[in-house]
Amino acid sequence: MAEAAVLVVTGGRVVDQEGERPADVAVGADGRILAVGPSLDPGGARVLDATGCIVAPGLVDLHTHLREPGREEAETVESGSRAAALGGFTAVVAMPNTEPTVDNAAVVSQVLDLGKRGLCEVFTAGAITVGREGEQLAPMGEMASLGVRLFTDDGRGVQDERLMRRALEYASGLDVTLAQHCEVESLSRGGHMHEGAWSSRLGIPGIPAQAEELMVSRDLALVELTGARMHFQHLSTAGSVELVRAAKAAGLPVTAEACPHHFTLTHAELAGYDPVYKVNPPLRTDADVAAIKRGLGDGTIDAIATDHAPHTQETKEAPFDEAPCGMVGLETALALALTELELPIERVLALLSWQPAAIARIEDAHGGPIAVGRPANLCVIDTEASWVVDPARSASRSHNNPYAGRTLTGKVRHTVRWGEPVVIDGEAQR
């Protein structure tokens, strides 16, 4: 190394798109990788011990609710980014359902400015329609000029077919991607959990799987019509997975994500009427969970996204029909994938790192490969570490975590953002 390193990650096994190999990683003062190889001499550089661990490209979350602006009592960009870094994420895409909505350049700039103080890199999605009301297209062009590459009305699906077609055509011309919250509201309205045996037993109005699948089917038809890219958010049903599988086989330009709670939990969790398990789309059946797992394993589903949705204790403890939907997930996503999915580490990392980075169009800085000249956005993972989920110790401002008390395997040891260690030995550095 002609240039002196300022940081060397030593003793680990690098895993990225190029495979797995024992290697140290040296980082220069500019935050880029200087060298990758066995037994690098750290000289006077700072050393991060990765002995017995995997050194991977930083994780990327396509679907994070940071709540700011508007609901800072539940989360802020700063607190959410700390939770993300502790979970191994070096980049997150914030959803636009804030107050005000991220539907114009001014609010985009506000979120990006707030993100400059974060422990991970914060990108933002823009809304497809003004106010996410589904009536008028938002000015996607002006948001795209600020670097927004993903647009969604997340929390609501765009109900009007003609408007959605126009949005896809507009997005294609801008070279951006639309992401859809697939929910036909005329079928889901008034529902609070999956429509099935448990909703009948509990007397809770349900949301049928078809509310999701009909919109997936509709939007696949619109993708075929327009040729535009489409990303499907938080798939939750076996039927949705099968529709996307067939669309990919037909060559349509579509991608999809699934959330940890949809491959680890079922509607049976709601037997105690605990709103911590209330989420949208709802927890589904054992067969749906199995289908999501198959989709993650065979490439039908491209990414694991957290849908990190913090809510204050007061709102989550409201009566079940009044409580908001959502769970926190940034600090548990990796461990849940390692614990619950019978997949090799390379596949888990693809789902959590380089594939979501490609969908978000940020692969120039995040998601690897770990190579000379690349930005040093890294996470170091102890795949054998066992730990118990304790929501009270979360970095998030909210503790609506459905996994409290569960023992998981796999823990982030260090996280490096642009060459700066922001998590060391499981502790955030600021």
Side-chain angles (χ1 to χ4, degrees), residues 15-16 19-20 343-351 354:
V15 178
D16 61 9
E20 181 174 350
L343 296 174
I345 185 66
E346 296 89 346
R347 179 64 186 156
V348 171
L349 290 172
L351 290 163
W354 48 89

mmCIF file of all heavy atoms in Angstrom, residues 15-16 19-20 343-351 354:
data_model
loop_
_atom_site.group_PDB
_atom_site.id
_atom_site.type_symbol
_atom_site.label_atom_id
_atom_site.label_comp_id
_atom_site.label_asym_id
_atom_site.label_seq_id
_atom_site.Cartn_x
_atom_site.Cartn_y
_atom_site.Cartn_z
ATOM 1 N N VAL A 15 -17.088 -11.732 2.514
ATOM 2 C CA VAL A 15 -18.135 -12.343 1.701
ATOM 3 C C VAL A 15 -18.836 -11.235 0.923
ATOM 4 O O VAL A 15 -19.389 -10.300 1.505
ATOM 5 C CB VAL A 15 -19.174 -13.102 2.562
ATOM 6 C CG1 VAL A 15 -20.278 -13.676 1.670
ATOM 7 C CG2 VAL A 15 -18.511 -14.219 3.355
ATOM 8 N N ASP A 16 -18.778 -11.324 -0.413
ATOM 9 C CA ASP A 16 -19.472 -10.373 -1.273
ATOM 10 C C ASP A 16 -19.887 -11.091 -2.549
ATOM 11 O O ASP A 16 -19.905 -12.329 -2.602
ATOM 12 C CB ASP A 16 -18.619 -9.125 -1.551
ATOM 13 C CG ASP A 16 -17.302 -9.457 -2.261
ATOM 14 O OD1 ASP A 16 -17.116 -10.617 -2.698
ATOM 15 O OD2 ASP A 16 -16.456 -8.553 -2.388
ATOM 16 N N GLY A 19 -17.691 -13.931 -3.835
ATOM 17 C CA GLY A 19 -17.517 -15.167 -3.089
ATOM 18 C C GLY A 19 -16.987 -14.920 -1.693
ATOM 19 O O GLY A 19 -17.121 -13.834 -1.131
ATOM 20 N N GLU A 20 -16.356 -15.931 -1.121
ATOM 21 C CA GLU A 20 -15.850 -15.875 0.253
ATOM 22 C C GLU A 20 -14.361 -16.173 0.260
ATOM 23 O O GLU A 20 -13.889 -17.094 -0.418
ATOM 24 C CB GLU A 20 -16.595 -16.892 1.124
ATOM 25 C CG GLU A 20 -16.161 -16.892 2.579
ATOM 26 C CD GLU A 20 -17.008 -17.805 3.450
ATOM 27 O OE1 GLU A 20 -18.053 -18.296 2.965
ATOM 28 O OE2 GLU A 20 -16.622 -18.029 4.621
ATOM 29 N N LEU A 343 -30.700 -20.628 4.502
ATOM 30 C CA LEU A 343 -30.012 -20.162 3.300
ATOM 31 C C LEU A 343 -28.540 -19.938 3.617
ATOM 32 O O LEU A 343 -28.185 -19.568 4.739
ATOM 33 C CB LEU A 343 -30.622 -18.849 2.801
ATOM 34 C CG LEU A 343 -32.074 -18.882 2.335
ATOM 35 C CD1 LEU A 343 -32.556 -17.465 2.013
ATOM 36 C CD2 LEU A 343 -32.227 -19.786 1.115
ATOM 37 N N PRO A 344 -27.655 -20.129 2.635
ATOM 38 C CA PRO A 344 -26.235 -19.832 2.864
ATOM 39 C C PRO A 344 -26.035 -18.344 3.102
ATOM 40 O O PRO A 344 -26.843 -17.505 2.667
ATOM 41 C CB PRO A 344 -25.564 -20.297 1.573
ATOM 42 C CG PRO A 344 -26.655 -20.316 0.550
ATOM 43 C CD PRO A 344 -27.914 -20.642 1.286
ATOM 44 N N ILE A 345 -24.956 -18.012 3.791
ATOM 45 C CA ILE A 345 -24.692 -16.614 4.147
ATOM 46 C C ILE A 345 -24.624 -15.731 2.906
ATOM 47 O O ILE A 345 -25.071 -14.578 2.928
ATOM 48 C CB ILE A 345 -23.394 -16.495 4.979
ATOM 49 C CG1 ILE A 345 -23.160 -15.059 5.460
ATOM 50 C CG2 ILE A 345 -22.200 -17.020 4.198
ATOM 51 C CD1 ILE A 345 -24.175 -14.545 6.437
ATOM 52 N N GLU A 346 -24.120 -16.263 1.789
ATOM 53 C CA GLU A 346 -24.030 -15.451 0.576
ATOM 54 C C GLU A 346 -25.414 -15.026 0.095
ATOM 55 O O GLU A 346 -25.597 -13.894 -0.373
ATOM 56 C CB GLU A 346 -23.321 -16.230 -0.536
ATOM 57 C CG GLU A 346 -21.873 -16.567 -0.245
ATOM 58 C CD GLU A 346 -21.716 -17.898 0.489
ATOM 59 O OE1 GLU A 346 -22.743 -18.420 1.000
ATOM 60 O OE2 GLU A 346 -20.584 -18.418 0.548
ATOM 61 N N ARG A 347 -26.386 -15.916 0.198
ATOM 62 C CA ARG A 347 -27.743 -15.587 -0.247
ATOM 63 C C ARG A 347 -28.393 -14.585 0.693
ATOM 64 O O ARG A 347 -29.071 -13.642 0.247
ATOM 65 C CB ARG A 347 -28.586 -16.869 -0.342
ATOM 66 C CG ARG A 347 -30.028 -16.635 -0.771
ATOM 67 C CD ARG A 347 -30.115 -16.065 -2.171
ATOM 68 N NE ARG A 347 -31.491 -15.712 -2.514
ATOM 69 C CZ ARG A 347 -31.824 -14.816 -3.431
ATOM 70 N NH1 ARG A 347 -30.880 -14.181 -4.113
ATOM 71 N NH2 ARG A 347 -33.083 -14.555 -3.696
ATOM 72 N N VAL A 348 -28.190 -14.760 1.997
ATOM 73 C CA VAL A 348 -28.749 -13.807 2.962
ATOM 74 C C VAL A 348 -28.195 -12.409 2.716
ATOM 75 O O VAL A 348 -28.930 -11.413 2.706
ATOM 76 C CB VAL A 348 -28.468 -14.265 4.404
ATOM 77 C CG1 VAL A 348 -28.844 -13.175 5.409
ATOM 78 C CG2 VAL A 348 -29.232 -15.551 4.720
ATOM 79 N N LEU A 349 -26.890 -12.323 2.475
ATOM 80 C CA LEU A 349 -26.280 -11.016 2.235
ATOM 81 C C LEU A 349 -26.728 -10.417 0.910
ATOM 82 O O LEU A 349 -26.902 -9.199 0.799
ATOM 83 C CB LEU A 349 -24.762 -11.130 2.298
ATOM 84 C CG LEU A 349 -24.196 -11.395 3.695
ATOM 85 C CD1 LEU A 349 -22.710 -11.696 3.631
ATOM 86 C CD2 LEU A 349 -24.470 -10.213 4.624
ATOM 87 N N ALA A 350 -26.929 -11.249 -0.100
ATOM 88 C CA ALA A 350 -27.465 -10.733 -1.360
ATOM 89 C C ALA A 350 -28.820 -10.083 -1.131
ATOM 90 O O ALA A 350 -29.114 -9.001 -1.663
ATOM 91 C CB ALA A 350 -27.580 -11.859 -2.386
ATOM 92 N N LEU A 351 -29.663 -10.713 -0.327
ATOM 93 C CA LEU A 351 -31.012 -10.203 -0.060
ATOM 94 C C LEU A 351 -30.997 -8.938 0.776
ATOM 95 O O LEU A 351 -31.920 -8.117 0.687
ATOM 96 C CB LEU A 351 -31.828 -11.274 0.660
ATOM 97 C CG LEU A 351 -32.219 -12.501 -0.174
ATOM 98 C CD1 LEU A 351 -32.635 -13.656 0.733
ATOM 99 C CD2 LEU A 351 -33.342 -12.150 -1.145
ATOM 100 N N TRP A 354 -26.387 -6.301 -1.549
ATOM 101 C CA TRP A 354 -26.150 -5.810 -2.918
ATOM 102 C C TRP A 354 -27.385 -5.821 -3.794
ATOM 103 O O TRP A 354 -27.507 -4.963 -4.671
ATOM 104 C CB TRP A 354 -24.989 -6.538 -3.577
ATOM 105 C CG TRP A 354 -24.925 -8.019 -3.515
ATOM 106 C CD1 TRP A 354 -25.466 -8.902 -4.396
ATOM 107 C CD2 TRP A 354 -24.228 -8.814 -2.543
ATOM 108 N NE1 TRP A 354 -25.156 -10.195 -4.041
ATOM 109 C CE2 TRP A 354 -24.387 -10.177 -2.913
ATOM 110 C CE3 TRP A 354 -23.476 -8.509 -1.406
ATOM 111 C CZ2 TRP A 354 -23.830 -11.218 -2.177
ATOM 112 C CZ3 TRP A 354 -22.919 -9.543 -0.679
ATOM 113 C CH2 TRP A 354 -23.104 -10.873 -1.058
#
